[in-house]
């Protein structure tokens, strides 16, 4: 036997030193390896040298296909036809084979085919650590292809071929044991694919590299996280933390990360809040990016896709803390990107801006007064402060949807805080000014007065907003209408103008019935702002002279100003 072994080893050395492996050399080697009964005569020493020859084959110019078949047959016979464990892989054989796989990173597809043959021929279960070793070796080989190749079509083809082969291996295994090294390398491969721009978003098309890699990514990471002994079919806190460290290594998570988290959520019996929040953040970023592309970059193509993305995002319950609030904040941000100021006027269902503003009103209302809110049908102090802060961001612009939101909240809640009432009044004031300044829009003075009264006064005819702010606004309205169409300045507007300004000057608690110095200076500035007094100003001064305790001072300074204008 030893003599026969030496002859075989000598022949293997000769083939190894040669520049090629020919069909003749393979046939000669096979004859020495076969017994008279057609079985292979392979010991461990010969098996080791066969692996060495397989590694040496990658540097040979010619390797006949028959060598691959001989290698697989010989190693299968060595592992399965031994007397101590016929037809099965024992622990020592598994350790030996794992060592060969782990120590030979350049092993070609022949080893992979060997493993498939062993699976088909062995009687016992296939050892899990052998599965893990095979997957690790294949992943290392894929990663190594990036180190040795440019990001060209050849590199992409080799990577795609390796990924397809590994997917087939995974499909044949109902349950695979995966160690941490496999998943770490897999994340590195994904990073390389992204860096080399080999991954797009075609995750639905089975023929694409994106789909093939995504499938491999889900299967391997899911197996590592869900099929462990410590928390089977559960994602525990440590696994969630470990996974987040790898997802957060990038500036932004990609669509494959999102799909992975979706898969884990659907398959696991427990899904930690940490991953729920990560999944929510990824989807939020995706929605925000999609809307920005449509609104700011004006990409018309993805408009319908973006609307569907937004619909799905708002409809889904992600299971993370403060979800309703975070969705409402996103809608506030998206609303502030829109250019539409009128909420419903000329709106169409397919209008993306109208769609966003409508969802903004619905979502914020749901967060503050909905059944799942912290205080259903009521606006608590935290919600009030949050809303005031968010509305203040867009205070330089008027959005009718802001006004619609406050009106909706006022209708839905059992309480409507004073500060929000003031916000609503200011929005109405902005709308009135905007409409009056619009040359294309006609206005009805009676309707304007009705809107002003609604914005300024409560049921007891008390101010809803600061009296000076109301007085500033009514002066502004009066001046706009005077310049636009003096004939429309009727008695209704005059009476309202006098009432508002008189309330500010005469009914404040600091100088009740009197016009103090600050008020006097303010009044003069307002009257002088247009260079002359109009009939509303004169009517106001007459009213103040009659009602105030100190009219002479005011009138004296006003008259001096009038005389200057006259001169």
């Amino acid at each position: 036997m030893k003599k026969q072994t030496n002859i075989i080893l000598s022949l293997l050395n000769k083939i190894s030193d040669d520049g090629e492996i020919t069909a003749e050399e393979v046939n000669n080697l096979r004859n020495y390896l076969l017994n008279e009964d057609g079985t292979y005569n392979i010991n461990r020493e010969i098996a080791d040298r066969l692996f060495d020859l397989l590694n040496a084959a990658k540097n040979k110019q010619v390797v006949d296909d028959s060598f691959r078949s001989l290698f697989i047959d010989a190693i299968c016979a060595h592992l399965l036809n031994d007397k101590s464990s016929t037809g099965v892989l024992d622990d020592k054989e598994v350790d030996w084979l794992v060592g060969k796989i782990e120590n030979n990173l350049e092993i070609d597809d022949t080893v992979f085919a060997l493993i498939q043959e062993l699976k088909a021929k062995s009687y016992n279960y296939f050892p899990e650590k052998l599965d893990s070793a095979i997957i690790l070796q294949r992943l290392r080989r894929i990663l190594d292809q990036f180190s040795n190749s440019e990001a060209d079509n050849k590199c992409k083809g080799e990577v795609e071929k390796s990924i397809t082969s590994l997917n087939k291996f995974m499909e044949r295994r109902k349950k695979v044991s995966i160690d941490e090294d496999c998943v770490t390398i897999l994340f590195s491969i994904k990073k390389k694919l992204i860096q080399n721009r080999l991954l797009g978003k075609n995750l639905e098309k089975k023929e694409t590299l994106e789909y093939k890699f995504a499938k491999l990514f889900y299967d391997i990471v899911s197996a590592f996280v869900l099929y462990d002994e410590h928390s089977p079919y559960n994602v525990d806190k440590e696994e969630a933390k470990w996974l987040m460290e790898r997802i957060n290594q990038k500036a932004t998570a990609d669509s494959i990360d999102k799909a992975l988290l979706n898969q884990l959520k659907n398959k696991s019996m427990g899904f930690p809040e940490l991953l729920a929040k990560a999944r929510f953040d990824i989807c939020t970023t995706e929605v925000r990016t999609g809307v920005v592309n449509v609104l700011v970059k004006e990409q018309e193509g993805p408009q319908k896709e973006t609307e569907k993305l937004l619909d799905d995002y708002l409809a889904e319950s992600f299971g993370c803390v403060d979800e309703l609030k975070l969705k409402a904040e996103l809608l506030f941000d998206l609303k502030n990107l829109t250019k539409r100021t009128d909420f419903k006027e000329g709106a169409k269902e397919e209008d993306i801006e109208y769609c966003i503003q409508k969802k903004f009103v619905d979502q914020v209302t749901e967060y503050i007064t909905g059944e799942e809110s912290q205080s259903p049908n009521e606006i608590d102090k935290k919600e009030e402060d949050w809303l005031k802060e968010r509305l203040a961001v867009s205070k330089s612009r008027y959005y009718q949807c802001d006004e619609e939101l406050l009106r909706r909240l006022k209708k839905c809640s059992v309480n409507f805080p004073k500060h929000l009432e003031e916000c609503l009044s200011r929005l109405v004031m902005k709308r009135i000014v905007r409409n009056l300044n619009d040359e294309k829009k006609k206005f009805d003075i009676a309707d304007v007065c009705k809107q002003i009264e609604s914005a300024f006064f409560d049921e007891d005819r008390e101010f809803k907003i600061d009296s000076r702010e109301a007085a500033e606004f009514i002066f502004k309205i009066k001046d706009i209408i005077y310049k636009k169409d003096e004939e429309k300045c009727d008695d209704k507007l005059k009476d309202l103008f006098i009432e508002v300004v008189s309330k500010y000057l005469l009914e404040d608690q600091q100088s009740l019935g009197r016009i103090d110095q600050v008020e006097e200076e303010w009044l003069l500035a307002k009257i002088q702002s247009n260079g002359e007094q109009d009939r509303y100003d004169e009517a106001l001064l007459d009213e103040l002279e009659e009602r105030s305790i100190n009219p002479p001072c005011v009138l004296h300074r006003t008259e001096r100003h009038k005389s200057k204008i006259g001169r």
Side-chain angles (χ1 to χ4, degrees):
M1 176 64 181
K2 187 172 182 180
K3 182 179 179 181
Q4 180 75 2
T5 298
N6 288 335
I7 293 173
I8 295 172
L9 291 175
S10 177
L11 182 58
L12 286 169
N13 287 334
K14 182 181 177 182
I15 297 173
S16 181
D17 293 339
D18 194 1
E20 56 187 13
I21 301 177
T22 64
E24 183 181 349
E25 289 174 322
V26 174
N27 287 331
N28 191 24
L29 178 60
R30 188 186 294 274
N31 290 332
Y32 277 100
L33 292 174
L34 286 171
N35 295 318
E36 291 181 0
D37 61 357
T39 59
Y40 279 93
N41 179 27
I42 307 291
N43 59 24
R44 183 59 51 87
E45 193 174 6
I46 293 173
D48 284 334
R49 290 296 290 121
L50 281 170
F51 264 101
D52 292 341
L53 182 58
L54 180 65
N55 278 336
K58 68 180 183 295
N59 296 320
K60 295 184 178 296
Q61 295 178 355
V62 177
V63 178
D64 192 78
D65 291 341
S66 60
F67 172 69
R68 180 175 182 269
S69 176
L70 171 63
F71 174 83
I72 293 171
D73 291 343
I75 299 300
C76 279
H78 170 64
L79 294 173
L80 298 177
N81 295 343
D82 57 313
K83 293 180 180 180
S84 60
S85 58
T86 305
V88 297
L89 289 168
D90 60 32
D91 291 342
K92 289 183 179 180
E93 289 168 338
V94 170
D95 290 340
W96 174 78
L97 189 54
V98 167
K100 289 299 178 185
I101 293 171
E102 291 180 344
N103 294 327
N104 295 276
L105 302 185
E106 295 298 327
I107 292 176
D108 64 10
D109 291 343
T110 305
V111 170
F112 204 59
L114 166 66
I115 300 301
Q116 302 295 353
E117 190 73 9
L118 285 170
K119 282 186 176 185
K121 290 183 176 181
S122 62
Y123 297 149
N124 66 334
Y125 74 95
F126 201 68
E128 290 183 355
K129 65 178 178 180
L130 190 52
D131 269 340
S132 187
I134 295 165
I135 294 169
L136 182 62
Q137 184 268 334
R138 299 294 289 182
L139 290 174
R140 282 175 172 165
R141 187 177 176 202
I142 294 171
L143 186 61
D144 194 55
Q145 287 172 329
F146 287 103
S147 302
N148 300 329
S149 306
E150 296 292 331
D152 54 16
N153 289 332
K154 182 180 179 181
C155 170
K156 181 179 179 180
E158 291 174 352
V159 170
E160 188 166 355
K161 182 180 177 182
S162 298
I163 290 172
T164 301
S165 177
L166 192 48
N167 270 327
K168 289 180 179 178
F169 173 80
M170 295 290 293
E171 286 171 1
R172 293 189 180 101
R173 304 293 292 143
K174 291 183 178 180
K175 184 178 178 182
V176 183
S177 177
I178 303 293
D179 63 25
E180 185 174 330
D181 289 341
C182 289
V183 187
T184 300
I185 291 175
L186 189 62
F187 270 99
S188 298
I189 292 171
K190 179 156 74 73
K191 184 177 180 181
K192 287 288 186 182
L193 288 168
I194 292 171
Q195 287 175 346
N196 288 281
R197 299 181 179 179
L198 296 177
L199 283 184
K201 294 184 178 181
N202 296 320
L203 299 183
E204 304 299 324
K205 297 181 180 179
K206 293 185 177 182
E207 67 275 10
T208 63
L209 173 60
E210 294 92 323
Y211 176 89
K212 294 173 183 176
F213 177 75
K215 184 179 186 304
L216 180 66
F217 188 76
Y218 310 152
D219 290 346
I220 289 179
V221 179
S222 296
F224 172 67
V225 173
L226 297 178
Y227 303 147
D228 59 309
E229 295 179 357
H230 303 292
S231 56
Y233 299 100
N234 245 326
V235 184
D236 60 39
K237 289 184 179 179
E238 289 301 315
E239 289 167 337
K241 184 178 178 182
W242 180 91
L243 194 56
M244 282 307 304
E245 287 173 355
R246 275 132 191 89
I247 290 177
N248 289 337
Q249 283 176 355
K250 304 178 296 304
T252 56
D254 51 68
S255 55
I256 292 179
D257 288 334
K258 175 190 172 184
L260 168 65
L261 292 175
N262 289 344
Q263 182 115 334
L264 290 175
K265 183 177 184 293
N266 293 333
K267 286 187 174 182
S268 65
M269 293 187 293
F271 196 65
E273 202 276 332
L274 180 65
L275 291 186
K277 181 62 166 62
R279 183 168 168 269
F280 175 80
D281 289 342
I282 292 171
C283 292
T284 300
T285 300
E286 186 179 20
V287 169
R288 188 188 301 274
T289 302
V291 172
V292 167
N293 287 339
V294 172
L295 293 181
V296 180
K297 299 181 181 180
E298 297 182 349
Q299 297 178 4
E300 296 182 4
Q303 179 166 313
K304 289 186 177 179
E305 296 174 14
T306 302
E307 287 184 26
K308 185 179 184 308
L309 190 67
L310 182 57
D311 284 337
D312 293 344
Y313 168 80
L314 294 176
E316 182 172 356
S317 176
F318 290 84
C320 62
V321 176
D322 289 334
E323 182 178 326
L324 284 176
K325 178 181 178 181
L326 294 171
K327 285 180 176 178
E329 288 180 347
L330 173 66
L331 265 298
F332 253 112
D333 293 341
L334 298 182
K335 179 266 298 182
N336 288 337
L337 292 174
T338 61
K339 298 175 183 177
R340 168 186 285 278
T341 54
D342 291 319
F343 178 43
K344 295 180 179 178
E345 187 175 335
K348 297 179 180 179
E349 290 296 329
E350 63 270 17
D351 183 344
I352 184 67
E353 294 203 349
Y354 170 71
C355 170
I356 290 170
Q357 292 185 3
K358 183 177 184 299
K359 293 182 190 306
F360 156 75
V361 174
D362 294 340
Q363 189 64 41
V364 178
T365 303
E366 177 67 19
Y367 160 57
I368 293 179
T369 63
E371 292 182 1
E372 296 183 19
S373 69
Q374 294 180 350
S375 53
N377 303 318
E378 189 175 348
I379 303 174
D380 62 32
K381 187 65 170 65
K382 285 185 179 180
E383 292 166 341
E384 177 189 349
D385 292 341
W386 174 85
L387 193 54
K388 279 168 33 185
E389 181 183 350
R390 301 300 299 184
L391 287 170
V393 173
S394 58
K395 66 180 181 180
S396 59
R397 289 191 64 186
Y398 168 78
Y399 285 101
Q400 192 179 6
C401 58
D402 288 342
E403 184 181 339
E404 179 75 14
L405 168 65
L406 291 178
R407 293 192 185 281
R408 180 89 64 87
L409 290 173
K410 186 174 183 179
K411 182 179 180 180
C412 294
S413 62
V414 294
N415 69 320
F416 194 65
K418 182 176 183 298
H419 290 301
L420 294 185
E421 189 73 72
E422 291 175 356
C423 289
L424 178 57
S425 294
R426 292 186 185 101
L427 287 170
V428 174
M429 287 154 55
K430 281 185 181 180
R431 172 166 51 80
I432 294 170
V433 171
R434 188 202 60 161
N435 290 341
L436 288 175
N437 282 326
D438 189 343
E439 296 296 332
K440 297 179 181 179
K441 286 189 175 181
K442 296 181 179 180
F443 65 92
D444 178 69
I445 195 65
D447 184 55
V448 170
C449 291
K450 185 177 179 180
Q451 291 181 54
I452 293 173
E453 288 181 317
S454 173
F456 284 0
F457 301 116
D458 59 19
E459 294 177 355
D460 299 323
R461 206 65 179 177
E462 296 295 330
F463 278 123
K464 294 180 182 178
I465 59 175
D466 178 73
S467 59
R468 174 159 177 168
E469 186 178 2
E472 292 271 4
F473 176 74
I474 199 70
F475 257 109
K476 189 173 186 178
I477 292 294
K478 182 264 296 182
D479 290 340
I480 291 173
I481 295 176
Y482 239 97
K483 289 179 180 178
K484 195 169 185 177
D485 191 348
E486 185 178 346
E487 293 183 358
K488 288 198 173 184
C489 292
D490 63 3
D491 289 343
K492 178 67 176 175
L493 179 60
K494 181 188 72 173
D495 294 342
L496 187 57
F497 170 73
I498 293 172
E499 179 184 7
V500 171
V501 178
S502 298
K503 276 180 174 289
Y504 160 57
L505 295 174
L506 301 177
E507 296 182 13
D508 58 312
Q509 295 300 314
Q510 288 78 16
S511 58
L512 191 61
R514 297 175 58 85
I515 300 175
D516 61 32
Q517 185 175 352
V518 173
E519 294 167 339
E520 184 180 352
E521 291 173 355
W522 174 85
L523 180 59
L524 283 170
K526 300 309 292 184
I527 292 176
Q528 293 172 357
S529 62
N530 289 327
E532 60 179 354
Q533 294 177 16
D534 56 46
R535 57 189 177 89
Y536 278 27
D537 295 332
E538 293 172 2
L540 170 65
L541 293 176
D542 290 340
E543 180 75 12
L544 293 174
E545 180 180 11
E546 181 178 335
R547 292 179 55 192
S548 64
I549 299 172
N550 61 337
C553 182
V554 176
L555 293 178
H556 176 66
R557 295 187 63 178
T558 305
E559 286 300 323
R560 284 202 308 166
H561 174 65
K562 286 173 66 178
S563 63
K564 283 183 181 179
I565 295 173
R567 289 198 296 268

